[in-house]
């Protein structure tokens, strides 16, 4: 990817915690320009929380904003961001431990 010299690439991440941290610090421009690659990598890793975050962030960025410039769906952004922070911090998700 274009910014590889400045930061590690998602392919260098080991496990969900590192991928979550990578996504949380990934420039939005990289998410847009490298969406297919990032999506495929997350799918291959089986990282559903990362895919959900990517879908949410990109959909919010592509939608119209309110007249005051704020996001229409700020709560979905906050929820996706919070879920990914929990993964990055090593807190288990609701799906873990169920078998």
């Amino acid at each position: 990817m274009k910014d590889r010299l400045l930061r590690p690439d998602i392919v260098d991440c080991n496990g969900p915690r590192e991928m979550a941290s990578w996504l949380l610090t990934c420039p939005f421009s990289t998410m847009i320009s490298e969406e297919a690659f990032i999506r495929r990598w997350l799918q291959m890793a089986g990282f559903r929380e990362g895919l959900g975050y990517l879908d949410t962030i990109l959909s919010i960025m592509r939608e119209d904003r309110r007249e005051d410039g704020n996001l229409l769906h700020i709560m979905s952004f906050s929820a996706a961001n919070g879920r990914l922070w929990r993964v990055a911090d090593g807190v288990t998700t609701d799906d873990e431990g169920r078998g």
Side-chain angles (χ1 to χ4, degrees):
M1 291 205 251
K2 295 177 206 164
D3 61 354
R4 185 165 173 87
L5 296 176
L6 302 176
R7 51 186 263 114
D9 200 346
I10 193 166
V11 300
D12 298 324
C13 294
N14 295 312
R17 288 182 72 178
E18 287 185 18
M19 284 188 280
S21 294
W22 187 90
L23 285 166
L24 288 165
T25 59
C26 181
F28 292 139
S29 61
T30 300
M31 281 189 198
I32 292 169
S33 64
E34 304 293 339
E35 175 185 359
F37 178 81
I38 295 168
R39 181 176 305 283
R40 179 156 164 65
W41 192 259
L42 294 171
Q43 287 171 337
M44 289 182 351
F47 187 33
R48 291 181 301 181
E49 293 89 349
L51 286 165
Y53 177 82
L54 182 66
D55 287 340
T56 300
I57 295 302
L58 292 176
S59 70
I60 288 170
M61 290 175 49
R62 291 175 174 142
E63 71 184 11
D64 291 335
R65 292 187 285 165
R66 296 183 348 193
E67 289 179 10
D68 62 4
N70 287 320
L71 300 173
L72 286 172
H73 298 101
I74 191 72
M75 291 305 292
S76 57
F77 171 78
S78 297
N81 207 38
R83 279 191 298 274
L84 211 58
W85 271 111
R86 285 192 296 281
V87 173
D89 289 341
V91 178
T92 59
T93 63
D94 292 341
D95 293 337
E96 291 180 23
R98 292 184 189 174

